[in-house]
Amino acid sequence: MSFEVFPSKTEKAEDSMLKAVHALATLGPSFVSVTYGAGGSTRDRSLATATRIAREVHVPVAAHLTCVGASREQTLAMADKFWDAGITRIVALRGDMPNDAGKLDHPFEAHPQGYSCAAELVAGLLERHPFDVSVSAYPEMHPEAKCADEELAYLKRKLDAGASRAITQFFFSSDAFLRFRDRAAAIGIDKPIVPGILPVHNLARTKAMAAECGATLPDWIVDLFEGLDDHPQARELVSATVNAEFCRRLYAEGVREFHFYTLNKSELAYATCHLLGLRPVRENLLEQAA
């Protein structure tokens, strides 16, 4: 399994995020990924966060890297910084273009001297260094995609460029993922497609995130979590149980890797992993230090 975190804006939030990573690291994840803000807006903080996690938690780290708003030279210079810091895993993404308010509401425009898409970015990164590269996938289609077949062909292009795996956008229908996986196999995609799992921390926030990325939030999930925002302990119990059953369904269909979007919190991802039978394989370094 693997986990995703994002760079924090304050020292207090950074410490909280790091504690979450320490807790999740005891489960022996394949890696912890660190996001890269829209338009490269968290470029320096992403590097600092990824480096700190690698240095202090001693867990493999995968740094997100986008090509939006940057020349090839600038993008590869950032890749060099990650490589020199010992970060040899990259999640290669085209990236989104924010407006002045930070909302992702207008179409991608390639930098005149930049990479035009993630497939080109993957090839460029691997020409530069022998990174382990992951790319994105969308079981319910990217909001900008014209059709499902075209998007699937583009996923194959990214993987054929040298990526090792695809990590999906979060979704709430196991059938949607399984259909997507079967269609991918039918066109010759034989590299792992890792499902991205988003535990429901807050219903309103989950609704907003699903609407932004085009993920379908089923009515039964809305009904299940309705009214629980004021009961956080009950919500966490329900969320962990729902997520574990969701992952068990995928496991029964042959899925063996899961990527958890943690929102910088450890409890729900950890509880889900525990319900799936995972147990700590190493001690918490924070506890050792204490």
Side-chain angles (χ1 to χ4, degrees), residues 126-143:
L126 292 174
E127 287 177 3
R128 193 76 161 198
H129 300 289
F131 286 110
D132 177 279
V133 179
S134 301
V135 294
S136 60
Y138 298 84
E140 297 176 278
M141 288 181 51
H142 189 281

Side-chain angles (χ1 to χ4, degrees), residues 5-6 8 11-25 49 51-57 264 284 286:
V5 298
F6 56 82
S8 303
E11 184 176 346
K12 182 178 180 181
E14 178 88 359
D15 290 341
S16 178
M17 178 275 296
L18 201 64
K19 288 180 180 178
V21 175
H22 272 284
L24 296 169
T49 298
T51 303
R52 186 178 181 190
I53 291 173
R55 182 180 66 247
E56 297 184 19
V57 189
N264 286 9
N284 190 322
L286 286 178

